[in-house]
C-alpha cells in the first residue's frame, strides 16, 4: 500500500527519467530522494560515449542534494526505469545512497518501481553490512 507521499516520489522519479541522456543503452532511469521536511531532489542517468563515465540517476540525485547542502534526513528513494520490470539501485548507487543516509543516521525506504509493481525495502536490506563514514573512525 502506497501513501500519497510515496506516490508523489514515484511520480517525481518518472518525470526525472524523461530527462535521461541515454543514447547508448536507451535505458532511461529516474530517481527521487525525499528528505525530512518534505523536500525532494531528483536525478536521471547521464551516459557518455566512454561508457565507464556514465552517471546513474541515484548518484546524480545525491550529488545535487550534496551541492544544495543537504546532508541528512534521507527518508525514501524511488527508482524507476523503462519497461515493466522493477529495478533496484546498482551496487555503486547503493553505496552512494548509504553514505548520504549514514550522515543523517537513517535507513531509508527504497521504492523499486516497475510499470505496475512497487517493491519497498530498506537500504540496509539492499546493502547489508555496509561500509560508511563510521568505519573510518
Amino acid at each position: 500500500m502506497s501513501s500519497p507521499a510515496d506516490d508523489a516520489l514515484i511520480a517525481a522519479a518518472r518525470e526525472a527519467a524523461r530527462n535521461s541522456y541515454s543514447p547508448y543503452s536507451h535505458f532511461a532511469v529516474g530517481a527521487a530522494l525525499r528528505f525530512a521536511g518534505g523536500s525532494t531532489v531528483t536525478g536521471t542517468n547521464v551516459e557518455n560515449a566512454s561508457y565507464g563515465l556514465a552517471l546513474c540517476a541515484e548518484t546524480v540525485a545525491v550529488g545535487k542534494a550534496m551541492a544544495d547542502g543537504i546532508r541528512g534526513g534521507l527518508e525514501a528513494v524511488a527508482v524507476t526505469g523503462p519497461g515493466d520490470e522493477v529495478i533496484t539501485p546498482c551496487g555503486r548507487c547503493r553505496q552512494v545512497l548509504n553514505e548520504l543516509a549514514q550522515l543523517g543516521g537513517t535507513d531509508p525506504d527504497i521504492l523499486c518501481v516497475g510499470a505496475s509493481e512497487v517493491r519497498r525495502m530498506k537500504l540496509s536490506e539492499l546493502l547489508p553490512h555496509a561500509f560508511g563514514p563510521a568505519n573510518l573512525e
Side-chain angles (χ1 to χ4, degrees):
M1 190 87 177
S2 67
S3 69
D6 289 345
D7 292 342
L9 193 66
I10 291 166
R14 286 186 169 136
E15 181 63 29
R18 291 188 184 115
N19 292 320
S20 171
Y21 178 71
S22 49
Y24 309 108
S25 71
H26 307 287
F27 196 86
V29 178
L33 316 178
R34 184 177 64 232
F35 293 89
S39 64
T40 299
V41 177
T42 62
T44 190
N45 57 324
V46 179
E47 294 182 350
N48 190 283
S50 176
Y51 294 143
L53 298 179
L55 300 171
C56 297
E58 302 91 325
T59 301
V60 169
V62 168
K64 284 173 63 177
M66 293 282 201
D68 288 344
I70 302 171
R71 297 286 192 275
L74 182 61
E75 294 180 338
V77 177
V79 181
T80 185
D84 296 333
E85 298 300 315
V86 169
I87 66 166
T88 64
C90 72
R92 175 181 176 220
C93 288
R94 293 173 193 199
Q95 182 64 40
V96 169
L97 290 167
N98 178 70
E99 181 84 10
L100 181 57
Q102 283 195 17
L103 290 175
T106 62
D107 186 12
D109 288 328
I110 309 297
L111 307 176
C112 305
V113 181
S116 60
E117 178 185 2
V118 176
R119 288 188 202 144
R120 174 190 302 271
M121 55 197 84
K122 291 292 191 180
L123 179 58
S124 61
E125 292 176 78
L126 284 172
L127 189 65
H129 314 289
F131 182 87
N135 296 102
L136 298 176
E137 295 176 356

